[in-house]
Each structure stands twice: as structure tokens, then as C-alpha cells.
Amino acid sequence: MEDILRQSYETLGLGPDASMREVEQAYNNLRALYSEDSLATYSLLEYGDRQEKLETLQSAYEKIISETLIKRDEPFRPDAEPIICKLDPVEVSADPQEAPGLYLKQLREIRNMTLREVAERTKVGSFHLECIEMERFDRLPAPVYLRGFVKEFARTVGADDIEAVVDNLLNRYREKME
């Protein structure tokens, strides 16, 4: 495998044996992580650095896709919309309105993800993720930071309605901390 292609996989945090679904999912997750509305990286990167990171991700994704299409003898269309890879819907017993922390934990577990894996993808510490799952609000940061943490967590584990999960958890936070 050529170095540029190997480097493209590494940019997306994948090995060269990753499936196209994994490539698409990694690309979409990283794009969301570095987007302008992501609180997880808001204070860490300047606008120019964020744009450079997004361009690097786009370039890596396009390289992998084009190489895959060459192998299939299909043309690459850079103007095509990026593929948004959604996780398959799953059933969990927790109610996202009544127990949003438990809901996120059950989604994570049913998808066979460890806290460490979620932490690596979201750039949110596993301690905070565990506190979110357990709804240990006394150990969590202020709501302005917590909103971003929960949003990235919910997106990574494939919550159906991310904003509702975030709002429900923040409402519970306010109730418990008053």
C-alpha cells in the first residue's frame, strides 16, 4: 500500500483493513468533532486550524474513496455529497427522557464500545463520560461544557434524537444541582 493511502487511513484513525462503512463513519465523526458548532474542540482550535483539520480529513477521505473506486473501476466524483453513515437503530430499555445517562450507557454497551473508545472518538475524558452515564452531576463541569460533552457522546453512540438527550440530561443536571 502506498504511503499516502496509509497516511490517509491514519488521519481517520483507522488501519488499512478498515471497511468502507468504518471509513465513512470515522470521517463523519471526525468532521462533526471539528465542525464549528462542536463544543468539544471549540476552545482548543483557532478557526484557521479547524479549517485546516477539516481539509486534511476531506483529503484523506477522498483519497481512500478514490482508491476504492479505482479498484472497483468506478469514477470518482469530488462534487458528490459525502456519505453520512448512520448507526443502525437499536432498542434499549432506558427512557432517554427519564434516564438520559443510562440511555447513553445502554447504547454504548449494545454497540460494544468501551468508555475508552468513546473517549478517544469524542476527545472527552472517560471519567466525564462515566459521570454522565451515572448522572454524577456533582463531578461534572458547568453546563456550557457539559452540553458539548453530552452532544458528542450521544452522536458517537448513535442516539436517535441527540438534542433531546442533551436537553434532558441538562434539565436533570439543573434539577439535581439546585
Side-chain angles (χ1 to χ4, degrees), residues 173-178:
Y173 176 91
R174 287 183 199 98
E175 289 171 6
K176 299 288 182 182
M177 297 305 283
E178 288 180 353

Side-chain angles (χ1 to χ4, degrees), residues 43-58:
S43 63
L44 300 176
L45 299 172
E46 297 292 327
Y47 178 80
D49 295 334
R50 183 183 308 264
Q51 289 305 111
E52 184 178 323
K53 184 66 175 174
L54 287 169
E55 289 169 13
T56 302
L57 292 171
Q58 179 73 28

Side-chain angles (χ1 to χ4, degrees), residues 53-132:
K53 184 66 175 174
L54 287 169
E55 289 169 13
T56 302
L57 292 171
Q58 179 73 28
S59 176
Y61 176 73
E62 287 178 1
K63 178 66 178 169
I64 294 168
I65 295 296
S66 66
E67 288 297 316
T68 302
L69 294 175
I70 287 170
K71 289 178 189 172
R72 294 181 188 166
D73 197 28
E74 296 176 29
F76 174 61
R77 298 182 1 230
D79 60 330
E81 286 292 314
I83 300 166
I84 305 297
C85 182
K86 290 262 187 195
L87 295 172
D88 294 329
V90 293
E91 293 288 325
V92 295
S93 61
D95 180 352
Q97 186 170 0
E98 297 298 318
L102 181 59
Y103 172 75
L104 292 172
K105 179 179 182 176
Q106 288 180 353
L107 281 174
R108 177 183 61 78
E109 289 174 344
I110 205 163
R111 297 193 192 286
N112 295 319
M113 299 171 81
T114 65
L115 279 172
R116 172 178 250 139
E117 289 170 331
V118 175
E120 288 172 5
R121 291 181 186 183
T122 62
K123 307 301 184 220
V124 175
S126 56
F127 172 78
H128 286 120
L129 295 173
E130 185 175 21
C131 288
I132 290 168

